PDB file of all heavy atoms in Angstrom:
ATOM      1  N   VAL A 127       3.937  43.068  -9.460  1.00 95.00           N
ATOM      2  CA  VAL A 127       3.865  44.246  -8.592  1.00 95.00           C
ATOM      3  C   VAL A 127       5.028  45.181  -8.872  1.00 95.00           C
ATOM      4  O   VAL A 127       4.881  46.413  -8.912  1.00 95.00           O
ATOM      5  CB  VAL A 127       3.834  43.821  -7.107  1.00 95.00           C
ATOM      6  CG1 VAL A 127       3.714  45.050  -6.204  1.00 95.00           C
ATOM      7  CG2 VAL A 127       2.679  42.863  -6.849  1.00 95.00           C
ATOM      8  N   LEU A 128       6.230  44.601  -9.072  1.00 96.00           N
ATOM      9  CA  LEU A 128       7.424  45.419  -9.281  1.00 96.00           C
ATOM     10  C   LEU A 128       7.325  46.228 -10.573  1.00 96.00           C
ATOM     11  O   LEU A 128       7.766  47.388 -10.626  1.00 96.00           O
ATOM     12  CB  LEU A 128       8.647  44.509  -9.311  1.00 96.00           C
ATOM     13  CG  LEU A 128      10.020  45.181  -9.286  1.00 96.00           C
ATOM     14  CD1 LEU A 128      10.163  46.081  -8.052  1.00 96.00           C
ATOM     15  CD2 LEU A 128      11.112  44.137  -9.286  1.00 96.00           C
ATOM     16  N   LEU A 129       6.766  45.657 -11.619  1.00 95.00           N
ATOM     17  CA  LEU A 129       6.594  46.407 -12.874  1.00 95.00           C
ATOM     18  C   LEU A 129       5.661  47.595 -12.675  1.00 95.00           C
ATOM     19  O   LEU A 129       5.842  48.654 -13.274  1.00 95.00           O
ATOM     20  CB  LEU A 129       6.078  45.479 -13.970  1.00 95.00           C
ATOM     21  CG  LEU A 129       7.069  44.464 -14.515  1.00 95.00           C
ATOM     22  CD1 LEU A 129       6.377  43.476 -15.444  1.00 95.00           C
ATOM     23  CD2 LEU A 129       8.217  45.139 -15.239  1.00 95.00           C
ATOM     24  N   ALA A 130       4.629  47.426 -11.830  1.00 95.00           N
ATOM     25  CA  ALA A 130       3.735  48.542 -11.513  1.00 95.00           C
ATOM     26  C   ALA A 130       4.470  49.618 -10.725  1.00 95.00           C
ATOM     27  O   ALA A 130       4.286  50.818 -10.952  1.00 95.00           O
ATOM     28  CB  ALA A 130       2.525  48.040 -10.742  1.00 95.00           C
ATOM     29  N   VAL A 131       5.319  49.208  -9.765  1.00 96.00           N
ATOM     30  CA  VAL A 131       6.106  50.161  -8.987  1.00 96.00           C
ATOM     31  C   VAL A 131       7.044  50.943  -9.906  1.00 96.00           C
ATOM     32  O   VAL A 131       7.193  52.175  -9.764  1.00 96.00           O
ATOM     33  CB  VAL A 131       6.899  49.416  -7.903  1.00 96.00           C
ATOM     34  CG1 VAL A 131       7.945  50.323  -7.260  1.00 96.00           C
ATOM     35  CG2 VAL A 131       5.954  48.869  -6.826  1.00 96.00           C
ATOM     36  N   MET A 132       7.654  50.260 -10.852  1.00 94.00           N
ATOM     37  CA  MET A 132       8.567  50.935 -11.788  1.00 94.00           C
ATOM     38  C   MET A 132       7.814  51.927 -12.677  1.00 94.00           C
ATOM     39  O   MET A 132       8.335  52.992 -13.038  1.00 94.00           O
ATOM     40  CB  MET A 132       9.295  49.896 -12.633  1.00 94.00           C
ATOM     41  CG  MET A 132      10.254  49.031 -11.836  1.00 94.00           C
ATOM     42  SD  MET A 132      10.981  47.678 -12.801  1.00 94.00           S
ATOM     43  CE  MET A 132      12.112  48.583 -13.856  1.00 94.00           C
ATOM     44  N   ALA A 133       6.567  51.587 -13.044  1.00 93.00           N
ATOM     45  CA  ALA A 133       5.759  52.507 -13.838  1.00 93.00           C
ATOM     46  C   ALA A 133       5.444  53.764 -13.031  1.00 93.00           C
ATOM     47  O   ALA A 133       5.486  54.895 -13.562  1.00 93.00           O
ATOM     48  CB  ALA A 133       4.471  51.817 -14.291  1.00 93.00           C
ATOM     49  N   LEU A 134       5.111  53.595 -11.753  1.00 94.00           N
ATOM     50  CA  LEU A 134       4.863  54.749 -10.883  1.00 94.00           C
ATOM     51  C   LEU A 134       6.108  55.630 -10.785  1.00 94.00           C
ATOM     52  O   LEU A 134       6.036  56.869 -10.801  1.00 94.00           O
ATOM     53  CB  LEU A 134       4.436  54.282  -9.486  1.00 94.00           C
ATOM     54  CG  LEU A 134       3.000  53.869  -9.279  1.00 94.00           C
ATOM     55  CD1 LEU A 134       2.812  53.291  -7.876  1.00 94.00           C
ATOM     56  CD2 LEU A 134       2.051  55.061  -9.486  1.00 94.00           C
ATOM     57  N   ASP A 135       7.261  54.983 -10.641  1.00 93.00           N
ATOM     58  CA  ASP A 135       8.518  55.732 -10.557  1.00 93.00           C
ATOM     59  C   ASP A 135       8.761  56.553 -11.810  1.00 93.00           C
ATOM     60  O   ASP A 135       9.138  57.735 -11.743  1.00 93.00           O
ATOM     61  CB  ASP A 135       9.666  54.754 -10.320  1.00 93.00           C
ATOM     62  CG  ASP A 135      11.023  55.425 -10.374  1.00 93.00           C
ATOM     63  OD1 ASP A 135      11.302  56.258  -9.497  1.00 93.00           O
ATOM     64  OD2 ASP A 135      11.794  55.135 -11.317  1.00 93.00           O
ATOM     65  N   ARG A 136       8.547  55.963 -12.976  1.00 90.00           N
ATOM     66  CA  ARG A 136       8.752  56.681 -14.235  1.00 90.00           C
ATOM     67  C   ARG A 136       7.736  57.816 -14.391  1.00 90.00           C
ATOM     68  O   ARG A 136       8.076  58.899 -14.880  1.00 90.00           O
ATOM     69  CB  ARG A 136       8.634  55.720 -15.423  1.00 90.00           C
ATOM     70  CG  ARG A 136       9.735  54.696 -15.538  1.00 90.00           C
ATOM     71  CD  ARG A 136      11.124  55.321 -15.690  1.00 90.00           C
ATOM     72  NE  ARG A 136      11.685  55.723 -14.410  1.00 90.00           N
ATOM     73  CZ  ARG A 136      12.507  56.742 -14.217  1.00 90.00           C
ATOM     74  NH1 ARG A 136      12.817  57.521 -15.227  1.00 90.00           N
ATOM     75  NH2 ARG A 136      12.996  57.028 -13.034  1.00 90.00           N
ATOM     76  N   ALA A 137       6.501  57.590 -13.963  1.00 91.00           N
ATOM     77  CA  ALA A 137       5.495  58.657 -14.037  1.00 91.00           C
ATOM     78  C   ALA A 137       5.865  59.811 -13.140  1.00 91.00           C
ATOM     79  O   ALA A 137       5.723  60.987 -13.531  1.00 91.00           O
ATOM     80  CB  ALA A 137       4.129  58.075 -13.649  1.00 91.00           C
ATOM     81  N   ALA A 138       6.345  59.529 -11.951  1.00 92.00           N
ATOM     82  CA  ALA A 138       6.759  60.598 -11.038  1.00 92.00           C
ATOM     83  C   ALA A 138       7.940  61.371 -11.624  1.00 92.00           C
ATOM     84  O   ALA A 138       8.007  62.615 -11.514  1.00 92.00           O
ATOM     85  CB  ALA A 138       7.116  60.016  -9.673  1.00 92.00           C
ATOM     86  N   ALA A 139       8.904  60.665 -12.243  1.00 89.00           N
ATOM     87  CA  ALA A 139      10.077  61.332 -12.799  1.00 89.00           C
ATOM     88  C   ALA A 139       9.717  62.248 -13.965  1.00 89.00           C
ATOM     89  O   ALA A 139      10.286  63.337 -14.110  1.00 89.00           O
ATOM     90  CB  ALA A 139      11.089  60.282 -13.260  1.00 89.00           C
ATOM     91  N   VAL A 140       8.742  61.832 -14.793  1.00 88.00           N
ATOM     92  CA  VAL A 140       8.372  62.622 -15.965  1.00 88.00           C
ATOM     93  C   VAL A 140       7.375  63.732 -15.611  1.00 88.00           C
ATOM     94  O   VAL A 140       7.503  64.865 -16.080  1.00 88.00           O
ATOM     95  CB  VAL A 140       7.760  61.700 -17.055  1.00 88.00           C
ATOM     96  CG1 VAL A 140       7.208  62.533 -18.222  1.00 88.00           C
ATOM     97  CG2 VAL A 140       8.821  60.715 -17.565  1.00 88.00           C
ATOM     98  N   CYS A 141       6.406  63.406 -14.768  1.00 88.00           N
ATOM     99  CA  CYS A 141       5.320  64.366 -14.471  1.00 88.00           C
ATOM    100  C   CYS A 141       5.699  65.360 -13.367  1.00 88.00           C
ATOM    101  O   CYS A 141       5.174  66.491 -13.342  1.00 88.00           O
ATOM    102  CB  CYS A 141       4.063  63.620 -14.083  1.00 88.00           C
ATOM    103  SG  CYS A 141       3.457  62.477 -15.341  1.00 88.00           S
ATOM    104  N   LEU A 142       6.559  64.956 -12.436  1.00 88.00           N
ATOM    105  CA  LEU A 142       6.921  65.821 -11.314  1.00 88.00           C
ATOM    106  C   LEU A 142       8.446  65.915 -11.197  1.00 88.00           C
ATOM    107  O   LEU A 142       9.029  65.528 -10.165  1.00 88.00           O
ATOM    108  CB  LEU A 142       6.323  65.276 -10.008  1.00 88.00           C
ATOM    109  CG  LEU A 142       4.804  65.094  -9.973  1.00 88.00           C
ATOM    110  CD1 LEU A 142       4.392  64.294  -8.750  1.00 88.00           C
ATOM    111  CD2 LEU A 142       4.113  66.453  -9.977  1.00 88.00           C
ATOM    112  N   PRO A 143       9.120  66.424 -12.210  1.00 85.00           N
ATOM    113  CA  PRO A 143      10.595  66.406 -12.191  1.00 85.00           C
ATOM    114  C   PRO A 143      11.200  67.231 -11.055  1.00 85.00           C
ATOM    115  O   PRO A 143      12.244  66.860 -10.506  1.00 85.00           O
ATOM    116  CB  PRO A 143      10.973  66.975 -13.563  1.00 85.00           C
ATOM    117  CG  PRO A 143       9.772  67.751 -14.005  1.00 85.00           C
ATOM    118  CD  PRO A 143       8.593  67.044 -13.435  1.00 85.00           C
TER     119      PRO A 143
END
Side-chain angles (χ1 to χ4, degrees):
V127 182
L128 190 57
L129 288 172
V131 168
M132 293 174 73
L134 280 174
D135 173 66
R136 292 300 82 212
V140 173
C141 302
L142 303 169

